[in-house]
Amino acid sequence: MLGITMARWLLPKQDPWSTPFAETLLSQLSLAPGLHILDVASGHGIPAFYLAEQVGSTGRVLGIDLSAGQVARARAIQGTQLPWLSFACHDVRTLPDELPLFDRITGNLSVMFFRPNREETLHGLIRHLRPGGQLVLTFPSLGTFDSLWQRVDRELLRRGHSAERERFHVYLAERPSAKDARRWLSAFAMIGIAVIEQPLEVVSGPGRAFLNHPLLRGGFLDDVYECFEDQRQADDMMRAISADLASFSPLIALRCVMSGWKAAAH
Ligand SMILES: C[S@@+](CC[C@H](N)C(=O)[O-])C[C@H]1O[C@@H](n2cnc3c(N)ncnc32)[C@H](O)[C@@H]1O
């Protein structure tokens, strides 16, 4: 029990993607007033605002994001509120040495951006974790939208797009899994490791509704388009697939949360 009653910065209920992932993150995160937290890939502040309210004015939260636009958006939402919360533009893969040590490091929907060397990025984060501190990250893990990927694969094969199919398989093979997460945390001697996956259904209509779905288009379908040199061919194939939504429904994502503690110094 934190003994904090204000709770003005709840996770946005209407967000069907970031909020469910953030809920899994918070289910593993140990929070208390006064903690210093680094939130990576902070976007427009999920869950940085929530965390800042929970740690209170004796704590500190720094949200970092690669995109200057996202940092500006987060700052605009913040205005003059929660002055112990700040946002800055940094690449999580190359954190500046002068960043201090944190009691907690969080990152909602972050691990997929640790490319190309996820272990190295993770190592960099753990270096900024205080001994006895906790790291909690979420990402859509291997298995996410597999019914869609199988449908895409069949269509690539049927249409004879062999080069595109090869690129697609490289993309598929590169997705991080819950098993990877456990292996990385163990390799860095983290303790109290927990890696948990929970299904999340993403609902869409067929056709344009599917192709322009804000979550699918931005985060996933673009990866298929990137396998094509000829974008008209990509569009043609994806339009056929979008009309066939029933054959790959339900669309299930796996919300994976990975948590570990850095051993306390002796
Ligand atoms: C899916 S959003 C998640 C944002 C927020 N945590 C949320 O849950 O809504 C991913 C964020 O990661 C940021 N990002 C991508 N690559 C990054 C990198 N290398 N370093 C830091 N942030 C990165 C993007 O700009 C984007 O704001």
Side-chain angles (χ1 to χ4, degrees), residues 136-153:
V136 189
L137 306 169
T138 67
F139 61 103
S141 50
L142 186 73
T144 291
F145 302 148
D146 265 2
S147 61
L148 166 62
W149 304 139
Q150 282 156 13
R151 179 69 184 82
V152 169
D153 192 48

Side-chain angles (χ1 to χ4, degrees), residues 18 39-44 46-47 64-67 70 90-93 108-109 112-113:
S18 290
D39 184 50
V40 304
S42 52
H44 59 280
I46 299 177
I64 63 159
D65 200 283
L66 184 62
S67 150
Q70 289 286 49
H90 289 297
D91 189 331
V92 65
R93 296 166 298 185
N108 194 42
L109 289 166
M112 56 283 202
F113 301 109

Side-chain angles (χ1 to χ4, degrees), residues 49-240:
F49 286 110
Y50 177 89
L51 299 177
E53 183 166 69
Q54 296 298 314
V55 299
S57 58
T58 57
R60 199 172 150 65
V61 177
L62 170 63
I64 63 159
D65 200 283
L66 184 62
S67 150
Q70 289 286 49
V71 169
R73 199 169 156 209
R75 286 179 180 157
I77 295 169
Q78 180 183 12
T80 57
Q81 305 175 83
L82 305 167
W84 55 94
L85 165 66
S86 56
F87 293 96
C89 210
H90 289 297
D91 189 331
V92 65
R93 296 166 298 185
T94 50
L95 291 177
D97 287 342
E98 59 272 19
L99 270 191
L101 298 184
F102 294 88
D103 304 306
R104 303 284 181 269
I105 296 183
T106 57
N108 194 42
L109 289 166
S110 57
V111 178
M112 56 283 202
F113 301 109
F114 292 6
R115 281 184 295 209
N117 191 337
R118 293 201 175 93
E119 267 183 90
E120 199 176 295
T121 301
L122 207 55
H123 196 204
L125 285 179
I126 292 170
R127 268 202 300 270
H128 286 280
L129 193 59
R130 199 184 295 289
Q134 186 189 18
L135 172 81
V136 189
L137 306 169
T138 67
F139 61 103
S141 50
L142 186 73
T144 291
F145 302 148
D146 265 2
S147 61
L148 166 62
W149 304 139
Q150 282 156 13
R151 179 69 184 82
V152 169
D153 192 48
R154 283 200 304 276
E155 196 65 25
L156 286 167
L157 184 65
R158 198 180 70 76
R159 293 178 180 233
H161 292 317
S162 44
E164 290 79 0
R165 190 162 176 247
E166 256 175 54
R167 283 181 215 124
F168 181 60
H169 284 189
V170 171
Y171 161 74
L172 290 182
E174 206 260 333
R175 296 174 299 161
S177 69
K179 211 167 141 194
D180 292 332
R182 191 171 281 283
R183 182 168 46 79
W184 296 328
L185 291 172
S186 306
F188 293 122
M190 299 293 275
I191 58 176
I193 294 172
V195 180
I196 295 161
E197 286 176 303
Q198 290 174 315
L200 174 71
E201 182 174 354
V202 171
V203 179
S204 168
R208 284 279 144 213
F210 173 78
L211 290 178
N212 297 331
H213 192 291
L215 156 65
L216 297 172
R217 187 61 210 244
F220 295 91
L221 301 185
D222 279 351
D223 296 326
V224 180
Y225 281 77
E226 275 174 25
C227 297
F228 283 79
E229 264 152 38
D230 184 341
Q231 289 297 297
R232 279 168 313 175
Q233 284 185 347
D235 218 30
D236 191 53
M237 184 187 86
M238 291 308 288
R239 265 193 279 118

